[in-house]
Amino acid sequence: MQTLVGKFMHPVIPPEDEYIPLEHTILYRSNLTKDIVLEIFQRKNNTYGFRYQAWVGWRDAGDNVRSHSWTEIDPGSNIITDSLETIKNEAEANANEKGIDFEAGWINGTQSQR
């Protein structure tokens, strides 16, 4: 899963559960294997941020995978901007730094809650 999650969280099966955008997501795009999603979200004060959702494997102390699920991953960037274009560029640059390749184009997200 590229460099977004450590070896201990790598999934052993592809996503089984449908990806559902988190609250306030306005745009998203999936990586080529559809186990990482980059989300652009809008805060209540109309500023933008980004985050990742990743399909991960949850392991016990013996390194046995017990379950899989989608989980939010902090991108390691705390940029706050009121420009959608700026946040899209920052999100894409962050993904490039992590070696994550995404499908072309953004998909409209949802403003509803999960």
Side-chain angles (χ1 to χ4, degrees):
M1 182 182 290
Q2 286 101 8
T3 60
L4 190 61
V5 298
K7 181 181 174 190
F8 196 70
M9 293 180 71
H10 276 226
V12 295
I13 60 173
E16 293 178 330
D17 298 335
E18 177 185 358
Y19 159 76
I20 300 171
L22 289 179
E23 183 177 11
H24 305 296
T25 298
I26 59 169
L27 296 170
Y28 67 91
R29 61 197 300 189
S30 297
N31 70 335
L32 300 176
T33 56
K34 301 201 182 294
D35 58 358
I36 299 174
V37 179
L38 178 58
E39 297 180 331
I40 303 290
F41 64 92
Q42 187 172 25
R43 298 179 183 91
K44 290 181 182 180
N45 66 359
N46 292 322
T47 61
Y48 299 101
F50 69 96
R51 60 190 168 218
Y52 295 96
Q53 291 292 320
W55 179 253
V56 298
W58 299 105
R59 290 172 167 74
D60 62 20
D63 200 27
N64 301 303
V65 175
R66 295 296 181 189
S67 65
H68 287 82
S69 68
W70 288 102
T71 192
E72 182 176 343
I73 304 289
D74 181 7
S77 171
N78 51 8
I79 184 170
I80 298 174
T81 180
D82 58 1
S83 166
L84 184 56
E85 286 306 310
T86 297
I87 202 65
K88 285 168 57 177
N89 291 336
E90 288 292 325
E92 289 171 345
N94 185 277
N96 286 338
E97 289 172 9
K98 293 175 175 20
I100 304 169
D101 295 320
F102 286 94
E103 295 179 336
W106 291 91
I107 300 168
N108 286 331
T110 177
Q111 294 287 332
S112 65
Q113 295 185 14
R114 215 178 220 210

